[in-house]
Amino acid sequence: GENVEQHPSTLSVQEGDSAVIKCTYSDSASNYFPWYKQELGKRPQLIIDIRSNVGEKKDQRIAVTLNKTAKHFSLHITETQPEDSAVYFCAAPNSGNTPLVFGKGTRLSVIA
Amino acid sequence: DAGVIQSPRHEVTEMGQEVTLRCKPISGHDYLFWYRQTMMRGLELLIYFNNNVPIDDSGMPEDRFSAKMPNASFSTLKIQPSEPRDSAVYFCASSLQAGRNIQYFGAGTRLSVL
């Protein structure tokens, strides 16, 4: 089955700096890669996703890049703000239309 | 739509008691998932349903855990008997497809077993 590894587990950045979180996956047939943000005490919520037919997707200050050859995808947050502090999870399906496998999460702290 | 609705939000019970967690998925979503979240193990998929039918329950930790989906708008996760190690946040999520679409999570149930 799919194995999703996420790094780093914790990340601290100064406000205004960029943050990058990377995930690797094992199943080359995986074709959908979402990123979820979970604020303290809240539910995980999708912030951006990418499908295997594109290499990059942007939405304001966040972007996701996908390298299918290397089987990794990354979340990029620019101009970080204190409200970006949260746990971020990447995910990938086992194969085809099977449930998402989530990474272990990255706790991002943005220091004002 | 009000989103995925879970109840109760918090549950405190004593070891050995039965616990029932409830979930109402988003209308029209064919897939429903139950997750458990702990600091040590992260977000674990316990079981998922497609059109009310359980598809994979391999993540259910023990026979003490059971889940049902009697209709398209309601699912339960039951723990009987409960143990302190079951303490966690339990999330329900729903989506149009299993691994190709956004999963929408409920607010979760924080379970504490004393």
Side-chain angles (χ1 to χ4, degrees), chain A residues 25 27-31 68 94-96:
Chain A
Y25 61 98
D27 191 339
S28 57
S30 293
N31 54 14
K68 287 218 71 179
N94 248 320
S95 64

Side-chain angles (χ1 to χ4, degrees), chain A residues 14-33:
Chain A
Q14 292 289 328
E15 182 178 0
D17 288 350
S18 296
V20 181
I21 304 170
K22 183 176 176 178
C23 285
T24 60
Y25 61 98
S26 58
D27 191 339
S28 57
S30 293
N31 54 14
Y32 175 64
F33 307 93

Side-chain angles (χ1 to χ4, degrees), chain B residues 23-35:
Chain B
C23 176
K24 175 179 166 54
I26 293 172
S27 176
H29 281 188
D30 291 334
Y31 287 84
L32 183 141
F33 310 86
W34 282 101
Y35 291 91

Side-chain angles (χ1 to χ4, degrees), chain B:
Chain B
D1 201 310
V4 177
I5 300 172
Q6 289 187 247
S7 65
R9 291 294 312 279
H10 303 275
E11 178 80 35
V12 180
T13 190
E14 293 188 347
M15 183 173 62
Q17 295 298 305
E18 178 179 296
V19 175
T20 300
L21 310 182
R22 297 173 176 81
C23 176
K24 175 179 166 54
I26 293 172
S27 176
H29 281 188
D30 291 334
Y31 287 84
L32 183 141
F33 310 86
W34 282 101
Y35 291 91
R36 178 172 67 176
Q37 186 176 39
T38 61
M39 288 294 293
M40 291 297 294
R41 302 175 68 90
L43 204 56
E44 299 176 274
L45 177 65
L46 301 177
I47 184 171
Y48 79 100
F49 295 83
N50 177 211
N51 292 323
N52 314 337
V53 176
I55 303 301
D56 185 354
D57 65 355
S58 60
M60 297 284 259
E62 299 171 33
D63 290 345
R64 299 184 295 106
F65 286 69
S66 63
K68 294 181 180 180
M69 192 165 185
N71 57 62
S73 59
F74 184 66
S75 177
T76 60
L77 178 68
K78 186 175 293 187
I79 308 172
Q80 167 62 20
S82 57
E83 296 183 4
R85 58 194 168 127
D86 301 331
S87 298
V89 179
Y90 291 82
F91 287 104
C92 174
S94 71
S95 71
L96 289 171
Q97 294 188 44
R100 298 174 182 160
N101 287 99
I102 303 169
Q103 279 190 19
Y104 294 90
F105 285 79
T109 295
R110 182 173 296 277
L111 174 64
S112 298
V113 183
L114 307 178

Side-chain angles (χ1 to χ4, degrees), chain A residues 93-104:
Chain A
N94 248 320
S95 64
N97 193 25
T98 55
L100 297 172
V101 176
F102 284 84
K104 293 294 185 189

Side-chain angles (χ1 to χ4, degrees), chain A:
Chain A
E2 180 68 276
N3 182 38
V4 177
E5 295 194 358
Q6 184 172 346
H7 301 280
S9 57
T10 60
L11 179 60
S12 291
V13 299
Q14 292 289 328
E15 182 178 0
D17 288 350
S18 296
V20 181
I21 304 170
K22 183 176 176 178
C23 285
T24 60
Y25 61 98
S26 58
D27 191 339
S28 57
S30 293
N31 54 14
Y32 175 64
F33 307 93
W35 284 91
Y36 286 78
K37 175 183 180 182
Q38 186 178 25
E39 298 178 355
L40 188 63
K42 301 290 181 63
R43 72 192 79 188
Q45 290 189 293
L46 181 85
I47 54 171
I48 194 167
D49 57 8
I50 191 168
R51 298 190 185 271
S52 58
N53 57 344
V54 296
E56 183 176 6
K57 184 178 178 180
K58 289 184 179 180
D59 183 3
Q60 299 182 343
R61 296 187 297 108
I62 60 173
V64 56
T65 58
L66 172 64
N67 184 326
K68 287 218 71 179
T69 303
K71 291 190 281 189
H72 67 71
F73 56 111
S74 300
L75 177 70
H76 305 254
I77 307 174
T78 59
E79 301 173 23
T80 53
Q81 301 168 5
E83 52 264 38
D84 295 330
S85 296
V87 178
Y88 292 82
F89 294 93
C90 63
N94 248 320
S95 64
N97 193 25
T98 55
L100 297 172
V101 176
F102 284 84
K104 293 294 185 189
T106 297
R107 183 174 300 277
L108 173 65
S109 299
V110 180
I111 303 164

